[in-house]
Amino acid sequence: MCAEPLLAVLIGPGGVGKGTLARRLTEVDRRLWLSRSWTTRPRRGTETGDEYEFVDRATFERAIANHEFLEWAQFQGNLYGTPIPRTTGGADVLLEIEVQGAEQVRRQYHDAVVFLIVPPSIDHLEHRLRERGDTDEHVDRRLASTPDELRVGGALASYVIVNDDVERATAEILSILEKLRRERRSLA
Ligand code: 5GP
């Protein structure tokens, strides 16, 4: 059991910087493998296309029917899902998902480590959301769902990380993962 890879999950409200943090974590720590999600959401103008596997709803629904997802959820009208990792080469797995998906992961993997990423302030979050080029309506919907995401996320989280600075938050998460790896090794 203890030799199994760690499963680390980043959750937190939209605009909090989970994506940037996830990418930075895998750049700094080569033992982390970042899962690439599927979504039916249209690509944003600011995205390159690597962020997700962008698919249509019929393709996504076929994958659900074929049990191809570790978890999936509908979030603000779009479907998002984590394909079952085929191979991670022994690396620890990192997911960056919303809270309904994290609840599913927790039910299947009780020892998944869930990090709730929170903004230094709500003003900061609003600024980040508006910067991404989403419509005002979309930003307002995301902000309206923030209290719920924080409440449900807080109940699920193993650790709460304030994303006041990407490098600092990355270092904090990596030091927790390192501690957990040491604990696993000593139990093995
Ligand atoms: P966005 O549309 O802003 O890229 O993502 C919306 C939300 O969906 C974010 O909270 C993001 O973390 C989450 N998300 C991204 N990929 C997945 C996934 O595979 N599964 C679930 N459940 N949520 C995801």
Side-chain angles (χ1 to χ4, degrees):
M1 272 302 267
C2 298
E4 278 179 15
L6 283 173
L7 178 54
V9 184
L10 302 187
I11 57 170
V16 79
K18 297 187 298 277
T20 308
L21 206 46
R23 281 190 297 279
R24 190 69 192 126
L25 283 164
T26 51
E27 277 166 12
V28 177
D29 186 340
R30 296 288 170 183
R31 287 165 298 174
L32 275 178
W33 178 86
L34 178 61
S35 168
R36 183 159 178 262
S37 296
W38 285 29
T39 186
T40 60
R41 163 171 80 61
R43 187 165 72 79
R44 295 189 185 109
T46 51
E47 291 176 324
T48 62
D50 290 341
E51 294 79 3
Y52 287 101
E53 181 78 28
F54 292 96
V55 297
D56 60 28
R57 207 168 176 104
T59 305
F60 199 106
E61 284 172 351
R62 258 196 315 277
I64 296 174
N66 292 333
H67 307 287
E68 290 175 28
F69 292 116
L70 182 71
E71 61 72 35
W72 67 271
Q74 170 143 317
F75 181 79
Q76 305 211 327
N78 297 303
L79 299 173
Y80 295 83
T82 304
I84 294 173
R86 296 198 191 285
T87 171
T88 62
D92 293 327
V93 175
L94 180 64
L95 308 183
E96 185 253 293
I97 60 180
E98 52 69 65
V99 288
Q100 303 166 72
E103 285 176 319
Q104 294 171 43
V105 170
R106 234 316 145 57
R107 277 199 291 275
Q108 296 175 69
Y109 303 93
H110 299 290
D111 57 357
V113 194
V114 179
F115 294 95
L116 172 64
I117 315 300
V118 299
S121 70
I122 294 296
D123 282 355
H124 189 269
L125 190 69
E126 178 165 358
H127 179 71
R128 290 263 329 225
L129 278 170
R130 297 207 187 277
E131 247 180 4
R132 293 203 303 202
D134 285 339
T135 62
D136 284 351
E137 189 205 337
H138 185 91
V139 170
D140 292 345
R141 263 196 290 142
R142 292 302 292 262
L143 285 172
S145 69
T146 296
D148 260 3
E149 289 178 73
L150 291 176
R151 185 181 49 76
V152 181
L156 265 180
S158 327
Y159 300 93
V160 178
I161 309 289
V162 180
N163 191 13
D164 47 0
D165 174 85
V166 177
E167 294 307 320
R168 196 209 60 75
T170 300
E172 186 179 356
I173 293 172
L174 289 181
S175 88
I176 293 168
L177 291 178
E178 202 42 56
K179 178 177 76 87
L180 295 172
R181 285 170 177 144
R182 274 200 306 274
E183 284 171 9
R184 290 198 155 204
R185 278 198 299 270
S186 70
L187 287 171

